[in-house]
Structure formats: structure tokens, C-alpha cells
């Protein structure tokens, strides 16, 4: 059973701290900590010992309140930030034997450009706002090694069409677009190199309901058609329920619970998860 | 015949941290299902009937006891301990669950909904379309509704769609959680017809029904549940 043997992405013991830590907080004695903050030296422990697997074609949801470490985790995976410690393997990259976090900058760029796509909550982080939309997509394609203008243009138009951006506006810069359109251009860009793994960080937060719906439908359809794996961070349980097969719950930098999405929502075990779920109903 | 499912000493309780409460739902449940059997569970509301089904489907995590399922893909496994991935695969291919509530993707048409659950099993789109039409036709779902959103359907229409979606996959084990609860007589007969077809096809079923007459017509054996404990009636 191949699909069970090999996750596409494996993350083990990922730690990320902001600050050097001190005698007082290195032991992580809960009495000396204010949540994940050390009052003595001011170190913030954003991700603590996070381990998980993502399998081909699945959507893994990550929920948690603001400040629980969700976005930091995503940034670490996309090399936007350096991890403090921990390992991650991509099954299709060097036979899944190389720890991604220890690769050189050059290889990290390769991984970003060929094996991953990321969509940020804030389109400014994912797009060049002054470039044309199709130029944004071309930029990612060029980083992935594409050099043929015709091919890139065709691919760009195909993708923009896919995310329902009118073709006659493809040469327009995203700064002229509405938030929902920007988000869709961002998704098109992230998908342009056909990554097996897509990281989505609060992609629908702040969008109005109808735009939210169209972005969610887009993600759902893309996932079904292209069979890519998605890590989906959201604090909206409705989004998680709709899209995720399995879900991790994070609190203060730790994964406190994980399971099938319907199990997390119907039979949450941890006190915090119960509070979260009951807030929804 | 061999047991397809055997539950040994299953207990489930809920700890509600925020209310400081601990609720026992079911205690020391023992149950077995032979291949091809149709078994019913009866009991009052709140006696723990659905909890048993949800533990089997892993919507609930059971605390004690084991749920042995004889799987085609994985052999004999304990459903309370299988990995999430294995459970997802079992749900796709072997174990179906129908409840009285339709839980659907928003903005997905009835036709897409059924077709998707067929394609999940690896069937190609063309075959899936054909099977979808057949089953929607069987349930006499108005053709006009096929390409509209189930959220706009009446209760009975939603329910029929829900059942259609689970049954079209012809699962090996089908869990029925009061699927006929609010159906009119004609729709009930439709469901019954389909259940009978599935029985002929070899599907094993474990069901909860409020309509005892409906159930007794179909089922081979009955378990009755009271305060979270089983008594066996035949």
C-alpha cells in the first residue's frame, strides 16, 4: 500500500524560538513561563516540538488561536524564517533523505521554486503589486527554470482563467485588483510551477463571504483536479471542516491534538479544542 | 460465517472540561456482525445508539475496548486504533455512514455530490456520471434538482440524496443512523428497496431506526440498548 507508506512531507521536532533563551526558560518549566513567553529573558517559543506528516493528495488543516504558532510554522516550512531546530523531509526531494532545513540557500530556493507554492494571508507578501498579474506568474516560472516567453504566457493565461481572472485584465497590476482577485492571482502564481505541495496561510481571512466562497471553491476544485497536497492554516473551523481531511490543533506553539476533522469537531479531547469548537456552535 | 465486525467491551465517555462534567455514554458494549447480516439497534433517545455507530466510524474516539473489523485492504484491524490515514481509506472504500443530517459541501450540486463520492473510490468520471444518474433516478429526485444546490432542498429530498450518496458506493459495511427519520412513506419504501438490493449484494449493515416496523421487516437480529448497556433481543 504505497499511499500509506510515504508521506510527501514529514516534519519532526520543529522548534522555533525568538530570542536566545536563558537558564530560567530552557527547562520549559511551566511555572516560570507566561504561556510561551519567558518573562526573564523575553524569549518567545513560537513552535515547540511540532511533528506531522502530509500525505499525497490530502488536505491537512491547522487550527489555533492567533499567536499559537500557525503562521510561524508555515514560514519555517517555506524558508521565510530559519528554524531553531528540527527536521523536514520531502519524499520526492533527494529520496526524502535530506533535511530541508540544513540545505544551502541555493537548494532551498530550488525547493521553493519547484516543490512548493505558498499563498499568504496578505497578498503584498506573495505578489509584486506593481508587476502585471501575468508577469507575477512568469516570475515564478522563470525561477523554476522556464525561459520560453510563449510557453509562459500560455501557462499564465491558462492559470488566470482557472482562477477566474478575466483575460483582458491579465496585463494589469494586482494593485488595481480587489482583495479577492489579488488572492486568486496569488493562488495562480503559487500553482504555476505545478507544486506537489501547497501552503495556504489564512487565505480567506478578511475576504467578504462571496469572495471567500469563490476562493474556497477554487482551492477545493484545484485540489481535486490536480491532486496536490495542501497544508491549510485557518482559524475558521468552517473552512477546515469543508476542506481538511485531517486536522492539527495548535496552542502556544504546541500541537495539542490531532485527528480526523470530523472527530476533532465532534469529539474534541483537549480542553482548549472543546472551547474552540463550542465557540463555533 | 466469519464476523465482519466484532466489538468487545467498548466504553465511551465524554469529559467536558469547560463544564467540569464527565458523561458516560456507553459501557462495556459487545456486539458482532456476520458478513451479509442486517442488524438493528433499538433504544430510547440518549441511550447511546448513535455513539456506538460513531465509535465504529471513528467520529468518536472510544476509550476502552476494541472494535475488530475484517478489512479487505488491511486484514483484521482494530478500528479504535487504526491510523487516521487507514480510517480515511476505509471510509472511502469499505465503510459507509448515513445519518439523518445531510452534511454537504456548500455550492456543490446534487449531481456533483454523488459523482464525487463515486470518484473517490477511483472510478472514472464517465462511469460515475452514469451511476449518479441511475441512483438519482431511483430515488425519484426531481430532475430539475439534479443541477441545483442541496441546501435549497426540502428535508425529504436532502435525506434521499444523502442515502443515495452513501449507497451508490455499495460499501461493505454500512452504518445507518436513523436514515428514514423524517421521510414520507413513499420515500421510505424507496430506501427499503435499495437496502434490500444492498443486502442481496452482500453489504453488511448496522442500523438504528425509529420506525420499528420498518426495521423488523429487514433485519436479521436486534440489539437493544438501555442506559449505555446492551441487552440482546432477537
Amino acid at each position: 500500500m504505497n499511499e500509506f507508506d510515504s508521506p510527501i512531507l514529514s516534519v519532526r521536532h520543529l522548534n522555533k524560538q525568538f530570542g536566545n533563551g536563558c537558564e530560567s526558560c530552557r527547562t520549559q518549566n511551566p511555572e516560570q513561563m507566561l504561556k510561551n513567553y519567558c518573562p526573564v529573558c523575553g524569549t518567545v517559543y513560537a513552535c515547540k516540538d511540532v511533528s506531522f506528516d502530509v500525505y499525497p493528495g490530502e488536505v491537512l488543516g491547522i487550527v489555533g488561536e492567533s499567536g499559537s504558532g500557525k503562521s510561524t510554522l508555515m514560514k519555517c516550512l517555506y524558508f521565510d524564517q530559519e528554524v531553531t531546530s528540527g527536521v523536514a523531509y520531502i519524499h520526492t526531494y533527494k529520496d526524502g533523505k535530506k533535511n530541508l532545513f540544513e540545505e544551502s540557500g541555493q537548494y532551498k530556493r530550488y525547493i521553493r521554486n519547484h516543490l512548493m507554492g505558498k499563498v499568504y494571508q496578505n497578498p503584498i507578501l506573495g505578489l509584486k503589486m506593481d508587476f502585471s498579474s501575468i508577469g507575477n506568474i512568469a516570475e515564478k516560472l522563470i525561477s523554476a527554470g522556464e525561459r520560453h516567453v510563449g510557453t509562459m504566457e500560455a501557462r499564465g493565461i491558462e492559470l488566470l482563467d482557472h482562477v477566474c481572472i478575466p483575460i483582458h485584465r491579465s496585463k494589469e497590476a494586482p494593485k488595481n485588483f480587489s482583495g479577492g482577485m489579488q488572492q486568486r492571482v496569488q493562488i495562480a502564481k503559487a500553482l504555476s510551477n505545478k507544486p506537489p505541495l501547497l501552503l495556504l496561510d489564512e487565505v480567506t481571512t478578511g475576504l467578504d463571504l462571496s469572495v471567500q466562497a469563490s476562493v474556497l471553491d477554487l482551492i477545493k476544485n484545484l485540489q481535486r483536479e490536480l491532486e496536490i497536497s495542501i497544508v491549510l492554516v485557518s482559524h475558521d473551523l468552517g473552512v477546515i471542516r469543508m476542506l481538511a481531511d485531517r486536522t492539527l490543533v495548535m496552542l502556544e506553539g504546541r500541537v495539542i491534538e490531532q485527528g480526523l476533522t470530523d472527530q476533532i469537531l465532534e469529539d474534541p479531547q483537549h480542553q482548549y479544542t472543546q472551547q474552540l469548537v463550542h465557540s463555533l456552535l | 460465517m466469519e464476523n465482519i465486525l466484532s466489538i468487545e467491551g467498548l466504553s465511551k465517555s465524554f469529559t467536558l472540561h469547560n463544564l467540569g462534567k464527565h458523561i458516560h455514554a456507553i459501557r462495556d458494549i459487545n456486539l458482532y456482525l456476520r458478513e451479509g447480516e442486517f442488524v438493528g439497534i433499538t433504544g430510547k433517545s440518549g441511550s447511546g445508539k448513535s455513539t456506538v455507530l460513531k465509535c465504529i466510524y471513528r467520529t468518536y474516539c472510544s476509550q476502552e475496548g476494541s472494535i475488530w473489523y475484517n478489512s479487505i485492504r488491511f486484514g483484521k484491524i482494530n478500528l479504535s486504533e487504526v491510523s487516521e490515514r487507514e480510517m480515511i481509506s476505509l471510509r472511502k472504500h469499505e465503510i459507509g455512514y448515513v445519518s439523518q443530517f445531510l452534511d454537504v459541501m456548500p455550492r456543490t450540486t446534487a449531481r456533483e455530490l454523488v459523482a464525487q463520492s463515486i470518484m473517490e473510490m477511483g472510478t472514472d468520471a464517465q462511469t460515475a456520471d452514469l451511476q449518479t444518474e441511475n441512483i438519482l433516478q431511483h430515488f425519484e429526485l426531481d430532475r430539475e434538482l439534479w443541477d441545483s444546490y442541496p441546501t435549497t432542498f426540502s428535508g425529504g429530498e436532502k435525506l434521499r440524496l444523502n442515502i443515495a450518496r452513501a449507497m451508490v458506493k455499495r460499501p461493505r459495511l454500512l452504518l445507518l443512523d436513523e436514515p428514514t427519520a423524517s421521510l414520507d412513506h413513499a420515500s421510505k419504501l424507496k430506501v427499503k428497496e435499495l437496502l434490500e438490493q444492498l443486502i442481496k449484494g452482500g453489504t453488511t449493515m448496522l442500523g438504528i431506526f425509529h420506525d420499528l416496523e420498518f426495521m423488523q421487516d429487514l433485519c436479521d437480529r436486534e440489539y437493544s440498548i438501555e442506559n449505555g448497556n446492551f441487552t440482546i433481543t432477537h
Side-chain angles (χ1 to χ4, degrees):
Chain A
M1 291 254 129
N2 257 340
E3 62 177 312
F4 293 99
D5 297 335
S6 45
I8 177 143
L9 172 73
S10 297
V11 176
R12 292 289 177 273
H13 311 298
L14 187 151
N15 284 290
K16 172 70 186 170
Q17 66 189 61
F18 296 97
N20 295 326
C22 62
E23 290 294 317
S24 162
C25 63
R26 246 167 234 144
T27 53
Q28 290 281 312
N29 183 347
E31 282 167 25
Q32 284 152 1
M33 303 283 288
L34 292 172
K35 290 190 168 181
N36 52 351
Y37 174 80
C38 171
V40 179
C41 64
T43 298
V44 173
Y45 291 86
C47 291
K48 292 190 274 194
D49 198 22
V50 176
S51 300
F52 62 90
D53 291 316
V54 184
Y55 291 85
E58 88 166 342
V59 180
L60 178 73
I62 301 181
V63 290
E65 60 191 4
S66 304
S68 57
K70 309 185 294 291
S71 290
T72 304
L73 176 64
M74 297 293 263
K75 284 178 190 158
C76 289
L77 290 179
Y78 202 58
F79 312 118
D80 288 333
Q81 279 173 357
E82 292 242 342
V83 293
T84 308
S85 65
V87 296
Y89 303 100
I90 287 182
H91 184 68
T92 51
Y93 177 72
K94 295 189 177 171
D95 289 332
K97 291 193 177 101
K98 244 346 195 173
N99 178 7
L100 307 182
F101 298 136
E102 281 173 359
E103 288 293 63
S104 68
Q106 188 190 355
Y107 280 112
K108 281 181 181 170
R109 271 196 298 281
Y110 173 87
I111 294 164
R112 266 169 81 133
N113 292 333
H114 290 85
L115 303 173
M116 286 188 201
K118 182 171 178 187
V119 180
Y120 297 84
Q121 177 180 353
N122 188 344
I124 290 175
L125 296 172
L127 293 176
K128 297 249 184 335
M129 283 300 177
D130 298 327
F131 283 30
S132 69
S133 301
I134 201 160
N136 265 286
I137 294 172
E139 187 204 5
K140 178 105 181 173
L141 287 170
I142 290 167
S143 328
E146 181 60 61
R147 291 292 178 269
H148 191 274
V149 176
T151 317
M152 284 191 283
E153 195 169 359
R155 175 93 181 124
I157 284 174
E158 177 196 335
L159 282 161
L160 288 173
D161 186 46
H162 213 118
V163 299
C164 305
I165 299 287
I167 304 304
H168 61 268
R169 300 191 69 181
S170 63
K171 298 239 162 73
E172 219 171 306
K175 67 177 177 190
N176 296 352
F177 287 175
S178 73
M181 287 172 82
Q182 290 175 350
Q183 210 59 303
R184 282 179 281 156
V185 175
Q186 223 197 145
I187 293 174
K189 180 179 180 180
L191 286 171
S192 58
N193 56 352
K194 299 188 179 160
L197 181 66
L198 193 58
L199 307 172
L200 304 178
D201 191 357
E202 303 270 18
V203 282
T204 56
T205 310
L207 301 179
D208 81 58
L209 280 181
S210 62
V211 178
Q212 197 174 24
S214 72
V215 172
L216 288 177
D217 288 352
L218 171 69
I219 295 168
K220 185 184 72 185
N221 292 336
L222 290 172
Q223 195 261 336
R224 194 168 291 134
E225 282 162 29
L226 307 175
E227 295 187 341
I228 43 182
S229 307
I230 296 179
V231 181
L232 176 78
V233 165
S234 183
H235 55 236
D236 185 340
L237 290 179
V239 171
I240 296 286
R241 169 185 238 134
M242 178 173 155
L243 293 173
D245 304 306
R246 298 188 300 126
T247 297
L248 309 182
V249 184
M250 285 187 75
L251 178 68
E252 291 165 21
R254 280 185 202 283
V255 176
I256 52 164
E257 188 167 351
Q258 57 176 305
L260 297 165
T261 302
D262 60 324
Q263 182 254 303
I264 295 285
L265 293 174
E266 288 199 40
D267 186 20
Q269 306 291 311
H270 193 278
Q271 178 173 4
Y272 170 73
T273 318
Q274 291 187 356
Q275 196 188 330
L276 198 72
V277 171
H278 293 154
S279 311
L280 172 80
L281 299 175
Chain B
M1 230 187 279
E2 210 180 337
N3 290 344
I4 183 167
L5 186 84
S6 60
I7 297 181
E8 294 160 9
L10 181 72
S11 296
K12 167 71 193 162
S13 58
F14 297 91
T15 307
L16 303 173
H17 296 287
N18 301 309
L19 299 172
K21 275 188 187 159
H22 192 76
I23 298 166
H24 281 281
I26 48 172
R27 267 180 246 251
D28 196 22
I29 295 284
N30 294 290
L31 170 153
Y32 67 92
L33 286 174
R34 290 194 210 97
E35 190 126 31
E37 254 187 331
F38 191 118
V39 172
I41 304 177
T42 57
K44 283 187 290 204
S45 303
S47 56
K49 304 186 294 293
S50 298
T51 305
V52 176
L53 294 195
K54 286 189 175 173
C55 284
I56 299 173
Y57 201 59
R58 257 289 273 286
T59 300
Y60 290 167
C61 315
S62 46
Q63 276 111 357
E64 273 170 53
S66 31
I67 305 170
W68 294 104
Y69 170 71
N70 223 333
S71 160
I72 292 176
R73 328 190 128 232
F74 308 110
K76 192 176 178 184
I77 46 166
N78 184 352
L79 293 184
S80 56
E81 282 172 2
V82 292
S83 73
E84 293 152 17
R85 290 286 296 168
E86 285 168 327
M87 198 64 218
I88 289 172
S89 162
L90 286 174
R91 285 178 177 189
K92 270 187 196 161
H93 298 279
E94 298 190 26
I95 304 178
Y97 180 91
V98 182
S99 80
Q100 48 182 315
F101 307 107
L102 182 71
D103 191 11
V104 294
M105 299 283 272
R107 302 173 302 281
T108 307
T109 66
R111 191 198 288 268
E112 285 167 353
L113 201 67
V114 177
Q116 274 164 20
S117 73
I118 303 173
M119 286 193 289
E120 242 181 27
M121 304 173 69
T123 314
D124 64 275
Q126 222 172 358
T127 319
D129 280 343
L130 204 68
Q131 289 179 356
T132 303
E133 298 209 344
N134 283 341
I135 195 110
L136 290 177
Q137 215 148 32
H138 176 88
F139 274 98
E140 288 175 355
L141 201 68
D142 213 332
R143 231 166 222 283
E144 284 178 4
L145 295 176
W146 291 12
D147 294 302
S148 52
Y149 301 145
T151 34
T152 61
F153 289 11
S154 77
E157 286 161 353
K158 275 188 196 168
L159 210 50
R160 274 183 282 164
L161 177 64
N162 205 11
I163 298 170
R165 182 168 63 143
M167 287 185 175
V168 75
K169 300 174 83 166
R170 304 196 164 270
R172 257 185 105 219
L173 174 65
L174 185 59
L175 308 168
L176 302 161
D177 192 349
E178 301 190 25
T180 56
S182 53
L183 287 185
D184 60 48
H185 191 66
S187 307
K188 267 188 197 172
L189 287 181
K190 284 282 159 203
V191 175
K192 193 170 173 185
E193 219 173 280
L194 212 66
L195 287 176
E196 277 165 350
Q197 266 182 36
L198 287 179
I199 293 171
K200 272 194 207 133
T203 297
T204 311
M205 284 182 256
L206 181 63
I208 302 169
F209 296 92
H210 262 322
D211 186 343
L212 290 182
E213 221 174 288
F214 180 92
M215 183 178 97
Q216 274 152 359
D217 269 1
L218 286 166
C219 74
D220 303 309
R221 282 186 301 128
E222 243 175 73
Y223 286 90
S224 137
I225 188 166
E226 209 173 300
N227 297 328
N229 281 308
F230 264 166
T231 48
I232 300 171
T233 51
H234 285 274

